[in-house]
Amino acid sequence: MLFSNLLSESDLCTIFRALPRSKLVQLDIRGCDMTTTAVQALAEVLSNTTILTLVIVSCLLSYGGACALARVLPSTLIRRLNISDNRIGDSGTVAL
C-alpha cells in the first residue's frame, strides 16, 4: 500500500513500470497525487499485471485519468476498483 506517501510523479511512474514483473494482486495508491502522466503510466502496464483490486482513493484523479483507465480496464484482470473521492465527475463515472 502506498497510502498517503509523498511520492513524486517520477516515483509513481517508476513503481508502475515495475508492476508487470511483480505478482501483486492488490494495488492501493490512496492519497497519492495521480497526475495525468502517472495515470498514463499506470494505464500502459495494467493489462500486463496480476492486479485484481485497484484502489485510487483521494488521488486528485481527473476525468482524463478516468478515461485513460476506462480504455484499458477491459483488458485487465481487475475485478474491484475503488476511485472514490476524486475529481472525475459524472462523465468520468460513466466512462468507467
PDB file of all heavy atoms in Angstrom, residues 5-7 11 13 19 26 32-33 35 37 39 42 47 53 57 59-60 64 73 75 78 86 90:
ATOM      1  N   ASN A   5       1.623   8.534   0.668  1.00  0.00           N
ATOM      2  CA  ASN A   5       3.062   8.731   0.596  1.00  0.00           C
ATOM      3  C   ASN A   5       3.365   9.999  -0.186  1.00  0.00           C
ATOM      4  O   ASN A   5       2.596  10.418  -1.035  1.00  0.00           O
ATOM      5  CB  ASN A   5       3.730   7.540  -0.094  1.00  0.00           C
ATOM      6  CG  ASN A   5       3.827   6.360   0.817  1.00  0.00           C
ATOM      7  OD1 ASN A   5       4.528   6.405   1.809  1.00  0.00           O
ATOM      8  ND2 ASN A   5       3.102   5.301   0.494  1.00  0.00           N
ATOM      9  N   LEU A   6       4.476  10.570   0.102  1.00  0.00           N
ATOM     10  CA  LEU A   6       4.896  11.769  -0.617  1.00  0.00           C
ATOM     11  C   LEU A   6       5.732  11.358  -1.826  1.00  0.00           C
ATOM     12  O   LEU A   6       6.886  11.744  -1.963  1.00  0.00           O
ATOM     13  CB  LEU A   6       5.683  12.691   0.319  1.00  0.00           C
ATOM     14  CG  LEU A   6       4.885  13.219   1.505  1.00  0.00           C
ATOM     15  CD1 LEU A   6       5.778  14.010   2.439  1.00  0.00           C
ATOM     16  CD2 LEU A   6       3.722  14.070   1.034  1.00  0.00           C
ATOM     17  N   LEU A   7       5.120  10.568  -2.676  1.00  0.00           N
ATOM     18  CA  LEU A   7       5.804  10.093  -3.864  1.00  0.00           C
ATOM     19  C   LEU A   7       5.624  11.096  -4.994  1.00  0.00           C
ATOM     20  O   LEU A   7       4.528  11.609  -5.219  1.00  0.00           O
ATOM     21  CB  LEU A   7       5.240   8.740  -4.299  1.00  0.00           C
ATOM     22  CG  LEU A   7       5.430   7.604  -3.307  1.00  0.00           C
ATOM     23  CD1 LEU A   7       4.648   6.377  -3.763  1.00  0.00           C
ATOM     24  CD2 LEU A   7       6.893   7.266  -3.148  1.00  0.00           C
ATOM     25  N   ASP A  11       8.430   8.975  -9.128  1.00  0.00           N
ATOM     26  CA  ASP A  11       8.423   7.794  -8.258  1.00  0.00           C
ATOM     27  C   ASP A  11       7.277   6.858  -8.637  1.00  0.00           C
ATOM     28  O   ASP A  11       7.464   5.640  -8.754  1.00  0.00           O
ATOM     29  CB  ASP A  11       8.266   8.185  -6.787  1.00  0.00           C
ATOM     30  CG  ASP A  11       9.435   8.977  -6.237  1.00  0.00           C
ATOM     31  OD1 ASP A  11      10.558   8.853  -6.769  1.00  0.00           O
ATOM     32  OD2 ASP A  11       9.216   9.734  -5.268  1.00  0.00           O
ATOM     33  N   CYS A  13       5.638   6.657 -11.479  1.00  0.00           N
ATOM     34  CA  CYS A  13       5.866   6.082 -12.809  1.00  0.00           C
ATOM     35  C   CYS A  13       6.870   4.933 -12.738  1.00  0.00           C
ATOM     36  O   CYS A  13       6.682   3.898 -13.389  1.00  0.00           O
ATOM     37  CB  CYS A  13       6.333   7.152 -13.792  1.00  0.00           C
ATOM     38  SG  CYS A  13       5.030   8.341 -14.209  1.00  0.00           S
ATOM     39  N   LEU A  19       5.428  -2.966 -12.203  1.00  0.00           N
ATOM     40  CA  LEU A  19       4.288  -3.824 -11.874  1.00  0.00           C
ATOM     41  C   LEU A  19       4.201  -5.106 -12.701  1.00  0.00           C
ATOM     42  O   LEU A  19       3.878  -6.162 -12.143  1.00  0.00           O
ATOM     43  CB  LEU A  19       2.981  -3.044 -11.982  1.00  0.00           C
ATOM     44  CG  LEU A  19       2.746  -1.991 -10.899  1.00  0.00           C
ATOM     45  CD1 LEU A  19       1.472  -1.207 -11.204  1.00  0.00           C
ATOM     46  CD2 LEU A  19       2.671  -2.637  -9.524  1.00  0.00           C
ATOM     47  N   GLN A  26      -3.166  -6.727  -5.408  1.00  0.00           N
ATOM     48  CA  GLN A  26      -3.853  -5.511  -4.948  1.00  0.00           C
ATOM     49  C   GLN A  26      -2.874  -4.348  -4.981  1.00  0.00           C
ATOM     50  O   GLN A  26      -1.752  -4.463  -4.502  1.00  0.00           O
ATOM     51  CB  GLN A  26      -4.377  -5.685  -3.539  1.00  0.00           C
ATOM     52  CG  GLN A  26      -5.054  -4.431  -3.015  1.00  0.00           C
ATOM     53  CD  GLN A  26      -5.714  -4.637  -1.668  1.00  0.00           C
ATOM     54  OE1 GLN A  26      -6.266  -5.685  -1.403  1.00  0.00           O
ATOM     55  NE2 GLN A  26      -5.653  -3.630  -0.831  1.00  0.00           N
ATOM     56  N   CYS A  32      -2.214   9.392  -3.023  1.00  0.00           N
ATOM     57  CA  CYS A  32      -1.089   9.817  -3.864  1.00  0.00           C
ATOM     58  C   CYS A  32      -1.623  10.720  -4.973  1.00  0.00           C
ATOM     59  O   CYS A  32      -2.737  10.524  -5.459  1.00  0.00           O
ATOM     60  CB  CYS A  32      -0.396   8.605  -4.480  1.00  0.00           C
ATOM     61  SG  CYS A  32       0.441   7.557  -3.282  1.00  0.00           S
ATOM     62  N   ASP A  33      -0.862  11.701  -5.390  1.00  0.00           N
ATOM     63  CA  ASP A  33      -1.277  12.630  -6.432  1.00  0.00           C
ATOM     64  C   ASP A  33      -1.115  11.966  -7.795  1.00  0.00           C
ATOM     65  O   ASP A  33      -0.005  11.805  -8.284  1.00  0.00           O
ATOM     66  CB  ASP A  33      -0.445  13.905  -6.349  1.00  0.00           C
ATOM     67  CG  ASP A  33      -0.907  14.975  -7.317  1.00  0.00           C
ATOM     68  OD1 ASP A  33      -1.931  14.777  -7.992  1.00  0.00           O
ATOM     69  OD2 ASP A  33      -0.238  16.021  -7.399  1.00  0.00           O
ATOM     70  N   THR A  35      -1.163  12.386 -11.237  1.00  0.00           N
ATOM     71  CA  THR A  35      -1.104  13.326 -12.348  1.00  0.00           C
ATOM     72  C   THR A  35      -1.474  12.604 -13.644  1.00  0.00           C
ATOM     73  O   THR A  35      -1.525  11.367 -13.687  1.00  0.00           O
ATOM     74  CB  THR A  35       0.305  13.910 -12.491  1.00  0.00           C
ATOM     75  OG1 THR A  35       1.196  12.830 -12.810  1.00  0.00           O
ATOM     76  CG2 THR A  35       0.762  14.605 -11.218  1.00  0.00           C
ATOM     77  N   THR A  37       0.333  12.189 -16.237  1.00  0.00           N
ATOM     78  CA  THR A  37       1.466  11.336 -16.620  1.00  0.00           C
ATOM     79  C   THR A  37       1.479  10.051 -15.804  1.00  0.00           C
ATOM     80  O   THR A  37       1.704   8.962 -16.340  1.00  0.00           O
ATOM     81  CB  THR A  37       2.795  12.092 -16.444  1.00  0.00           C
ATOM     82  OG1 THR A  37       2.768  13.258 -17.276  1.00  0.00           O
ATOM     83  CG2 THR A  37       3.988  11.235 -16.802  1.00  0.00           C
ATOM     84  N   VAL A  39      -1.097   8.553 -14.317  1.00  0.00           N
ATOM     85  CA  VAL A  39      -2.233   7.710 -14.714  1.00  0.00           C
ATOM     86  C   VAL A  39      -1.931   7.018 -16.036  1.00  0.00           C
ATOM     87  O   VAL A  39      -2.208   5.831 -16.212  1.00  0.00           O
ATOM     88  CB  VAL A  39      -3.537   8.529 -14.813  1.00  0.00           C
ATOM     89  CG1 VAL A  39      -4.656   7.686 -15.375  1.00  0.00           C
ATOM     90  CG2 VAL A  39      -3.923   9.075 -13.464  1.00  0.00           C
ATOM     91  N   LEU A  42       0.383   4.144 -15.444  1.00  0.00           N
ATOM     92  CA  LEU A  42      -0.335   3.019 -14.854  1.00  0.00           C
ATOM     93  C   LEU A  42      -1.176   2.316 -15.917  1.00  0.00           C
ATOM     94  O   LEU A  42      -1.150   1.087 -16.032  1.00  0.00           O
ATOM     95  CB  LEU A  42      -1.219   3.500 -13.703  1.00  0.00           C
ATOM     96  CG  LEU A  42      -2.076   2.444 -13.021  1.00  0.00           C
ATOM     97  CD1 LEU A  42      -1.216   1.328 -12.435  1.00  0.00           C
ATOM     98  CD2 LEU A  42      -2.936   3.092 -11.937  1.00  0.00           C
ATOM     99  N   SER A  47      -2.687  -3.960 -18.132  1.00  0.00           N
ATOM    100  CA  SER A  47      -3.094  -5.190 -18.809  1.00  0.00           C
ATOM    101  C   SER A  47      -2.029  -6.278 -18.728  1.00  0.00           C
ATOM    102  O   SER A  47      -2.302  -7.434 -19.043  1.00  0.00           O
ATOM    103  CB  SER A  47      -3.474  -4.920 -20.259  1.00  0.00           C
ATOM    104  OG  SER A  47      -2.375  -4.399 -20.954  1.00  0.00           O
ATOM    105  N   THR A  53      -7.395  -6.009  -7.559  1.00  0.00           N
ATOM    106  CA  THR A  53      -8.022  -4.904  -6.831  1.00  0.00           C
ATOM    107  C   THR A  53      -7.167  -3.658  -6.991  1.00  0.00           C
ATOM    108  O   THR A  53      -5.973  -3.680  -6.692  1.00  0.00           O
ATOM    109  CB  THR A  53      -8.160  -5.245  -5.332  1.00  0.00           C
ATOM    110  OG1 THR A  53      -8.938  -6.432  -5.201  1.00  0.00           O
ATOM    111  CG2 THR A  53      -8.817  -4.103  -4.572  1.00  0.00           C
ATOM    112  N   VAL A  57      -8.011   6.143  -4.264  1.00  0.00           N
ATOM    113  CA  VAL A  57      -8.916   6.976  -3.467  1.00  0.00           C
ATOM    114  C   VAL A  57      -8.201   8.269  -3.088  1.00  0.00           C
ATOM    115  O   VAL A  57      -7.034   8.238  -2.691  1.00  0.00           O
ATOM    116  CB  VAL A  57      -9.373   6.218  -2.195  1.00  0.00           C
ATOM    117  CG1 VAL A  57     -10.144   7.124  -1.266  1.00  0.00           C
ATOM    118  CG2 VAL A  57     -10.189   5.000  -2.570  1.00  0.00           C
ATOM    119  N   CYS A  59      -6.970  10.787  -4.811  1.00  0.00           N
ATOM    120  CA  CYS A  59      -5.718  10.951  -5.564  1.00  0.00           C
ATOM    121  C   CYS A  59      -5.764  12.082  -6.585  1.00  0.00           C
ATOM    122  O   CYS A  59      -4.909  12.157  -7.458  1.00  0.00           O
ATOM    123  CB  CYS A  59      -5.373   9.642  -6.274  1.00  0.00           C
ATOM    124  SG  CYS A  59      -4.916   8.318  -5.171  1.00  0.00           S
ATOM    125  N   LEU A  60      -6.777  12.924  -6.493  1.00  0.00           N
ATOM    126  CA  LEU A  60      -6.952  14.012  -7.458  1.00  0.00           C
ATOM    127  C   LEU A  60      -7.104  13.497  -8.883  1.00  0.00           C
ATOM    128  O   LEU A  60      -6.751  14.178  -9.847  1.00  0.00           O
ATOM    129  CB  LEU A  60      -5.792  15.016  -7.381  1.00  0.00           C
ATOM    130  CG  LEU A  60      -5.524  15.638  -6.006  1.00  0.00           C
ATOM    131  CD1 LEU A  60      -4.311  16.543  -6.050  1.00  0.00           C
ATOM    132  CD2 LEU A  60      -6.744  16.393  -5.506  1.00  0.00           C
ATOM    133  N   GLY A  64      -9.932  12.966 -17.283  1.00  0.00           N
ATOM    134  CA  GLY A  64      -8.998  12.392 -18.252  1.00  0.00           C
ATOM    135  C   GLY A  64      -8.349  11.122 -17.731  1.00  0.00           C
ATOM    136  O   GLY A  64      -8.155  10.153 -18.473  1.00  0.00           O
ATOM    137  N   LEU A  73      -9.220  -0.963 -18.803  1.00  0.00           N
ATOM    138  CA  LEU A  73      -9.827  -1.910 -17.855  1.00  0.00           C
ATOM    139  C   LEU A  73     -10.333  -3.208 -18.488  1.00  0.00           C
ATOM    140  O   LEU A  73     -10.138  -4.275 -17.910  1.00  0.00           O
ATOM    141  CB  LEU A  73     -10.940  -1.236 -17.055  1.00  0.00           C
ATOM    142  CG  LEU A  73     -10.468  -0.348 -15.908  1.00  0.00           C
ATOM    143  CD1 LEU A  73     -11.659   0.325 -15.241  1.00  0.00           C
ATOM    144  CD2 LEU A  73      -9.660  -1.135 -14.893  1.00  0.00           C
ATOM    145  N   SER A  75      -9.139  -5.010 -20.656  1.00  0.00           N
ATOM    146  CA  SER A  75      -8.030  -5.938 -20.959  1.00  0.00           C
ATOM    147  C   SER A  75      -7.215  -6.297 -19.721  1.00  0.00           C
ATOM    148  O   SER A  75      -6.127  -6.848 -19.837  1.00  0.00           O
ATOM    149  CB  SER A  75      -7.121  -5.323 -22.027  1.00  0.00           C
ATOM    150  OG  SER A  75      -6.488  -4.155 -21.517  1.00  0.00           O
ATOM    151  N   ILE A  78      -8.537  -6.826 -13.374  1.00  0.00           N
ATOM    152  CA  ILE A  78      -9.137  -6.080 -12.267  1.00  0.00           C
ATOM    153  C   ILE A  78     -10.616  -6.424 -12.119  1.00  0.00           C
ATOM    154  O   ILE A  78     -11.384  -6.357 -13.073  1.00  0.00           O
ATOM    155  CB  ILE A  78      -8.933  -4.565 -12.458  1.00  0.00           C
ATOM    156  CG1 ILE A  78      -7.445  -4.246 -12.334  1.00  0.00           C
ATOM    157  CG2 ILE A  78      -9.749  -3.762 -11.449  1.00  0.00           C
ATOM    158  CD1 ILE A  78      -7.079  -2.838 -12.679  1.00  0.00           C
ATOM    159  N   ASN A  86     -12.487  11.500  -5.769  1.00  0.00           N
ATOM    160  CA  ASN A  86     -11.636  12.058  -6.816  1.00  0.00           C
ATOM    161  C   ASN A  86     -12.414  13.116  -7.573  1.00  0.00           C
ATOM    162  O   ASN A  86     -13.507  13.507  -7.166  1.00  0.00           O
ATOM    163  CB  ASN A  86     -11.151  10.941  -7.747  1.00  0.00           C
ATOM    164  CG  ASN A  86      -9.994  10.176  -7.151  1.00  0.00           C
ATOM    165  OD1 ASN A  86      -8.901  10.701  -7.002  1.00  0.00           O
ATOM    166  ND2 ASN A  86     -10.237   8.918  -6.801  1.00  0.00           N
ATOM    167  N   ASP A  90     -19.370  13.260 -13.277  1.00  0.00           N
ATOM    168  CA  ASP A  90     -20.341  12.305 -13.786  1.00  0.00           C
ATOM    169  C   ASP A  90     -19.855  11.650 -15.079  1.00  0.00           C
ATOM    170  O   ASP A  90     -20.037  10.445 -15.292  1.00  0.00           O
ATOM    171  CB  ASP A  90     -21.686  12.977 -14.040  1.00  0.00           C
ATOM    172  CG  ASP A  90     -22.375  13.409 -12.756  1.00  0.00           C
ATOM    173  OD1 ASP A  90     -22.025  12.868 -11.674  1.00  0.00           O
ATOM    174  OD2 ASP A  90     -23.252  14.292 -12.812  1.00  0.00           O
TER     175      ASP A  90
END
